[in-house]
Amino acid sequence: METLRHIVLLVHLVGFAVLFGAWVVEAVNRRFAVTRLMNYGLLIAGVAGLALAAPWGISYDLNYVKIGVKLVVLVAIGALLGIGAARQRRNGSVPPALFWSIGGLTLLNAGIAVLWR
């Protein structure tokens, strides 16, 4: 069971890597756009994160404060991606502040996953 939990953790981190990697590609190319790959990365990270929040296969208590903070940040990233996609359809690009916020919050959420014990 512990091995399965570690695999789900890997999938969770890969989801953030996909989201952050797609964001970095757009940032390096100075396109300031929301892509479908960013949404897929968010979906992967979110589903795997919810699976990790279930108390299965562990002998210790979960840190529900950490889980709550990560969920709030994940919802904020999702909202920014949705707002950015709507603005992109309307104006052709995402405002730079909104675009940089997506990358910063993604990095913050991955950092919380790795560093908060």
Side-chain angles (χ1 to χ4, degrees):
M1 194 61 95
E2 185 75 18
T3 302
L4 180 60
R5 189 165 184 81
H6 285 291
I7 291 170
V8 173
L9 178 62
L10 175 66
V11 170
H12 181 62
L13 292 176
V14 166
F16 278 114
V18 168
L19 172 57
F20 192 68
W23 179 84
V24 167
V25 167
E26 297 301 315
V28 167
N29 291 324
R30 292 188 174 99
R31 281 193 293 234
F32 300 146
V34 172
T35 65
R36 188 172 294 160
L37 194 56
M38 290 179 190
N39 291 322
Y40 290 153
L42 183 72
L43 178 66
I44 292 166
V47 170
L50 288 175
L52 286 171
W56 50 277
I58 59 171
S59 59
Y60 53 88
D61 291 333
L62 292 173
N63 187 346
Y64 289 108
V65 175
K66 174 183 172 181
I67 293 168
V69 169
K70 283 185 57 63
L71 183 61
V72 167
V73 174
L74 186 78
V75 169
I77 294 168
L80 291 176
L81 284 174
I83 293 167
R87 293 239 177 129
Q88 184 173 314
R89 278 192 298 272
R90 189 177 328 129
N91 302 335
S93 69
V94 177
L98 191 112
F99 179 79
W100 290 105
S101 298
I102 292 169
L105 286 175
T106 302
L107 188 61
L108 173 70
N109 214 1
I112 290 170
V114 173
L115 300 175
W116 187 343
R117 294 284 166 187

